[in-house]
């Protein structure tokens, strides 16, 4: 496991996830995004299949990140995984350019319409980013028992390290789907670009530009 260098204490470190940790990462992301407005809109919360569709979507997203060798960062307190962040690299395509086996698995697990909405969501967001080459922060989660203790800022420091190591990237973009996270990203030096509407949900697109 390769550590991402962080200026922090010896009990907290960031590293790229291993294959054996993907299930644990999926569990963290599921908890974090269970009430996400965009997923609730796409998968129609209240529907008996909502939780199954959400779990399947997150699982296939993580598998797609792993197979495409995209950065999946873990934040550890000693040996316990307490946070996860998933990034798309600048040279990787989003939306309709998703590789075919991801789209097939998503259609089988979540249905054609849900998969089409997920792809449309990515297209709308990335088209609104005012940069040509950038990282997209697609997922970020901190374990519920470790929230409000500064772990999110440690994880974002690791994201910045990934950005610094990629000279062709102009910055990092994130679509903020809940107002309760708006201040957090502002504290991490993200600026709002514009409001983006995905389905029935409108949220701010924010960017952190390379220093």
């Amino acid at each position: 496991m390769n550590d991402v260098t962080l200026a922090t204490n010896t009990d907290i470190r960031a590293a790229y996830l291993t294959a054996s940790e993907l299930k644990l990462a999926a569990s963290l992301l599921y908890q974090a995004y269970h009430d996400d407005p965009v997923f609730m809109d796409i998968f129609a919360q209240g529907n008996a299949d909502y939780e199954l569709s959400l779990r399947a979507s997150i699982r296939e997203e993580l598998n797609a990140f792993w197979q495409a060798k995209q950065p999946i960062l873990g934040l550890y307190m000693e040996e316990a995984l307490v946070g996860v962040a998933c990034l798309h690299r600048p040279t990787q395509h989003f939306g309709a350019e998703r590789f075919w086996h991801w789209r097939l698995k998503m259609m089988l697990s979540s249905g054609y319409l849900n998969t089409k909405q997920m792809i449309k969501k990515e297209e709308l967001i990335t088209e609104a980013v005012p940069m040509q080459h950038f990282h997209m922060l697609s997922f970020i989660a901190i374990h519920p028992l470790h929230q409000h203790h500064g772990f999110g800022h440690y994880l974002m420091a690791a994201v910045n390290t990934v950005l610094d190591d990629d000279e062709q990237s102009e910055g990092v973009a994130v679509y903020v789907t809940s107002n309760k996270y708006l201040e957090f990203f502002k504290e991490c030096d993200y600026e709002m670009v514009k409001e983006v509407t995905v389905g029935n949900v409108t949220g701010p697109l924010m960017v952190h530009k390379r220093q």
Side-chain angles (χ1 to χ4, degrees):
M1 183 187 299
N2 296 320
D3 286 356
V4 179
T5 302
L6 282 176
T8 183
N9 63 62
T10 57
D11 294 331
I12 303 171
R13 63 185 174 87
Y16 292 107
L17 255 65
T18 63
S20 63
E21 296 171 311
L22 290 179
K23 286 186 178 180
L24 184 54
S27 178
L28 278 179
L29 292 173
Y30 173 79
Q31 293 178 72
Y33 287 88
H34 184 273
D35 298 321
D36 181 87
V38 171
F39 283 117
M40 289 166 62
D41 186 49
I42 291 175
F43 298 131
Q45 189 182 44
N47 185 312
D49 295 330
Y50 171 74
E51 293 189 349
L52 290 176
S53 296
L54 180 60
R55 286 186 188 277
S57 172
I58 289 173
R59 182 181 65 247
E60 296 307 331
E61 282 283 282
L62 271 179
N63 286 335
F65 272 94
W66 181 260
Q67 292 175 29
K69 298 182 180 179
Q70 303 280 22
I72 307 176
L73 299 173
L75 188 72
Y76 300 83
M77 186 170 65
E78 295 181 347
E79 296 304 315
L81 181 66
V82 297
V84 179
C86 301
L87 290 156
H88 279 287
R89 289 193 181 95
T91 55
Q92 301 294 328
H93 297 290
F94 307 122
E97 300 300 319
R98 283 284 202 177
F99 38 92
W100 68 269
H101 57 275
W102 174 87
R103 298 174 69 182
L104 176 60
K105 288 182 178 179
M106 277 291 293
M107 282 189 283
L108 290 174
S109 60
S110 300
Y112 172 76
L113 291 178
N114 288 341
T115 303
K116 186 176 180 180
Q117 285 180 289
M118 288 286 289
I119 293 172
K120 185 62 177 178
K121 165 199 159 190
E122 291 187 347
E123 291 175 339
L124 288 170
I125 294 169
T126 54
E127 286 172 2
V129 178
M131 296 181 284
Q132 292 297 315
H133 301 283
F134 58 92
H135 284 82
M136 174 64 73
L137 180 59
S138 296
F139 289 113
I140 181 168
I142 298 295
H143 192 285
L145 295 178
H146 298 285
Q147 293 178 3
H148 310 297
H149 297 293
F151 288 101
H153 289 85
Y154 285 130
L155 191 52
M156 292 304 293
V159 169
N160 287 342
T161 299
V162 174
L163 169 63
D164 292 340
D165 289 342
D166 192 332
E167 294 182 355
Q168 72 174 178
S169 181
E170 300 170 53
V172 181
V174 61
Y175 181 53
V176 183
T177 55
S178 176
N179 286 333
K180 64 182 179 180
Y181 300 122
L182 189 59
E183 287 302 316
F184 168 74
F185 283 106
K186 285 181 179 178
E187 292 172 3
C188 296
D189 198 31
Y190 280 68
E191 297 180 355
M192 191 177 92
V193 175
K194 63 184 295 186
E195 296 280 338
V196 177
T197 299
V198 179
N200 297 309
V201 178
T202 298
L205 175 69
M206 306 184 76
V207 299
H208 168 75
K209 293 187 177 180
R210 175 186 290 279
Q211 299 300 313

